[in-house]
Amino acid sequence: TESKHRRCQGDLKTRSTELGSAVIGSPLTPTTVKKSIVLSSETRKELAKQAKVTKEERRAQIDERHKYLISRLADGIGLSEQQVEEAIISDDKFQLLEQFFARSGLKKLLFFYQDVLQQKSNALRSDGSTNSLLQKKLFITMGSTENFTGTCAFFLRPSDKAITASNVSQEVNFGIFDCTNGNILQGLEFFLSQIMIPALKSQQNWGAVKEGLKNSQIQDFLYSVDKFVGTLSSSRQNIEDKIQLTKVDIDTYVSSLQNPSDCIAAG
């Protein structure tokens, strides 16, 4: 039994060595650690082929609901509809669109358009690394994992109705939240003061609330929103104002302290 165990260990070591040699092209040694595995050209071609098939399958699923979203995104962000469609069908979160359209589905659908670190080309350097650079990219997000540094385009649905080609324009609301250079407070202030508050103050129908803007509860609500925006603006300005410290000649300052009362006065 012991001799069989030794033979088994020897076989495993031999197979491990052969496998390592096949992957990195050279025999393994105890001190050799390969941090990355370079995909063969055949594997890359196969992955690219699969990605192309997936994109075409998704493109075939595009209907009037998707086209409505694509049109709004193109207008709001400043891209062509072809660019938006390509970004959507290439996104690994493409299935979120169907979840948004479904009855009692997602209440929000978010898109970020901002700088993302992307691979420049498929060519690998001699050390196995790739060339990367920042490029603007439109992608679907849940809003909880990626840092928000650019523009957020959002779709909201207030009801649980299934979104169809005939009701998408009535049931889905669209908006843009601009956070260029990561300045979230400024973007929020602009969004509330220039978009949301004017829209609320021009709102005629407040549902079950009677008399609309004449209602005291609605007036209190709008007053609170105005007050919040004012506080937000003041806080943003305080944060943006840089505190400049004046250089002090510490030796001269300390030498002027002659007794405890001077120290108390200086404090």
Side-chain angles (χ1 to χ4, degrees), residues 160-204:
D160 289 331
K161 297 178 183 178
I163 304 301
T164 65
S166 59
N167 70 10
V168 61
S169 60
Q170 291 80 34
E171 294 296 330
V172 175
N173 299 314
F174 173 71
I176 292 285
F177 179 38
D178 187 11
C179 180
T180 305
N181 299 322
N183 196 333
I184 294 179
L185 292 183
Q186 185 175 15
L188 180 58
E189 179 187 342
F190 178 86
F191 177 73
L192 292 175
S193 63
Q194 302 300 316
I195 299 174
M196 290 304 299
I197 291 180
L200 289 172
K201 289 183 177 180
S202 65
Q203 181 80 9
Q204 298 298 319

Side-chain angles (χ1 to χ4, degrees), residues 43-252:
T43 302
R44 289 200 300 271
K45 289 179 181 178
E46 181 61 28
L47 292 175
K49 182 179 178 181
Q50 293 176 6
K52 184 177 180 180
V53 170
T54 299
K55 286 169 60 176
E56 293 310 312
E57 289 176 348
R58 291 173 175 175
R59 199 187 305 275
Q61 299 175 29
I62 299 294
D63 58 26
E64 293 303 317
R65 300 172 302 172
H66 300 81
K67 290 179 181 178
Y68 176 80
L69 268 57
I70 289 171
S71 175
R72 301 307 302 271
L73 284 169
D75 290 341
I77 295 176
L79 298 174
S80 69
E81 293 188 7
Q82 291 75 19
Q83 288 175 310
V84 174
E85 178 179 313
E86 190 66 22
I88 288 177
I89 64 174
S90 303
D91 201 295
D92 59 2
K93 294 185 178 68
F94 178 81
Q95 75 281 358
L96 291 182
L97 275 72
E98 288 303 320
Q99 295 178 27
F100 180 73
F101 293 146
R103 181 183 297 276
S104 302
L106 295 175
K107 293 297 185 181
K108 65 179 181 179
L109 186 63
L110 304 180
F111 292 81
F112 283 178
Y113 180 59
Q114 59 192 27
D115 287 331
V116 175
L117 192 62
Q118 294 181 307
Q119 185 174 318
K120 188 175 182 180
S121 67
N122 291 327
L124 294 173
R125 294 177 178 177
S126 58
D127 60 358
S129 62
T130 57
N131 292 323
S132 299
L133 75 166
L134 286 174
Q135 288 184 335
K136 281 205 174 290
K137 180 181 179 182
L138 175 67
F139 58 94
I140 306 169
T141 176
M142 294 298 291
S144 57
T145 55
E146 297 88 359
N147 292 329
F148 177 36
T149 59
T151 300
C152 173
F154 58 87
F155 294 93
L156 306 175
R157 45 175 296 179
S159 74
D160 289 331
K161 297 178 183 178
I163 304 301
T164 65
S166 59
N167 70 10
V168 61
S169 60
Q170 291 80 34
E171 294 296 330
V172 175
N173 299 314
F174 173 71
I176 292 285
F177 179 38
D178 187 11
C179 180
T180 305
N181 299 322
N183 196 333
I184 294 179
L185 292 183
Q186 185 175 15
L188 180 58
E189 179 187 342
F190 178 86
F191 177 73
L192 292 175
S193 63
Q194 302 300 316
I195 299 174
M196 290 304 299
I197 291 180
L200 289 172
K201 289 183 177 180
S202 65
Q203 181 80 9
Q204 298 298 319
N205 182 11
W206 288 82
V209 179
K210 304 300 181 181
E211 298 182 337
L213 294 176
K214 295 180 180 179
N215 184 280
S216 60
Q217 292 179 321
I218 298 299
Q219 293 175 354
D220 289 343
F221 168 71
L222 293 176
Y223 172 77
S224 297
V225 176
D226 276 326
K227 186 176 181 180
F228 172 76
V229 173
T231 303
L232 179 64
S233 178
S234 298
S235 300
R236 177 184 59 79
Q237 294 176 25
N238 290 337
I239 292 175
E240 291 178 354
D241 290 339
K242 296 181 179 179
I243 299 175
Q244 296 181 353
L245 300 179
T246 303
K247 187 175 181 180
V248 177
D249 188 344
I250 190 64
D251 293 334
T252 302

